[in-house]
Amino acid sequence: QVRLVESGGGLVQAGGSLRLACVASGRTSSTWRMAWYRQVPGKQRELVAAITWGGRTKYSDSAKGRFAISRDNNLLYLAMNSLKPEDTAVYFCAAHEDIRTDYLPREPYEYDYWGQGTQVTVSS
């Protein structure tokens, strides 16, 4: 069994920063690809950033230059800077076993394991 637990969300003013963390436990794998998604009510879950087990990364257009994804063993991080009100969402950690080093899909169905999410609210 796999468990992903996110933390680090909260309320921040526009222009501020937050660092999200996701800790994985249970049957974890060193060859997971992992990702951060976000979702607002009434909209589909969207990819924010993803990282292969080898460290290759991918960002959404809105995250490029402001967010940074990183991983350390069973921990996944998302450093978010220059936050905007439109970044307000529930942020989810996701993982999927994948030994490939160049495949970083956008679709949520490409990930088997999900956390419960952490709320990020950016005030204007």
Side-chain angles (χ1 to χ4, degrees):
Q1 188 173 357
V2 171
R3 188 175 184 218
L4 302 178
V5 179
E6 302 94 338
S7 63
L11 174 64
V12 65
Q13 287 189 329
S17 300
L18 282 175
R19 189 190 193 207
L20 305 184
C22 171
V23 58
S25 60
R27 296 190 64 182
T28 62
S29 170
S30 61
T31 51
W32 276 350
R33 65 173 137 81
M34 301 188 76
W36 288 98
Y37 281 78
R38 67 187 184 188
Q39 189 170 24
V40 297
K43 292 192 175 181
Q44 291 187 334
R45 196 167 292 191
E46 65 172 1
L47 178 72
V48 177
I51 186 167
T52 66
W53 69 270
R56 182 168 182 166
T57 59
K58 181 181 205 172
Y59 295 91
S60 66
D61 288 342
S62 64
K64 283 178 186 175
R66 299 188 300 127
F67 296 0
I69 189 171
S70 61
R71 63 191 295 172
D72 182 8
N73 293 322
N74 291 340
L75 290 166
L76 181 70
Y77 301 101
L78 184 69
M80 303 187 294
N81 299 306
S82 302
L83 283 162
K84 305 174 181 179
E86 51 264 44
D87 294 319
T88 295
V90 177
Y91 284 71
F92 297 91
C93 170
H96 186 89
E97 174 64 38
D98 192 346
I99 200 169
R100 292 171 291 184
T101 57
D102 59 352
Y103 185 61
L104 288 170
R106 293 187 178 275
E107 297 300 328
Y109 65 72
E110 296 274 6
Y111 290 84
D112 284 336
Y113 308 114
W114 291 86
Q116 293 300 304
T118 184
Q119 176 70 47
V120 171
T121 302
V122 184
S123 63
S124 57

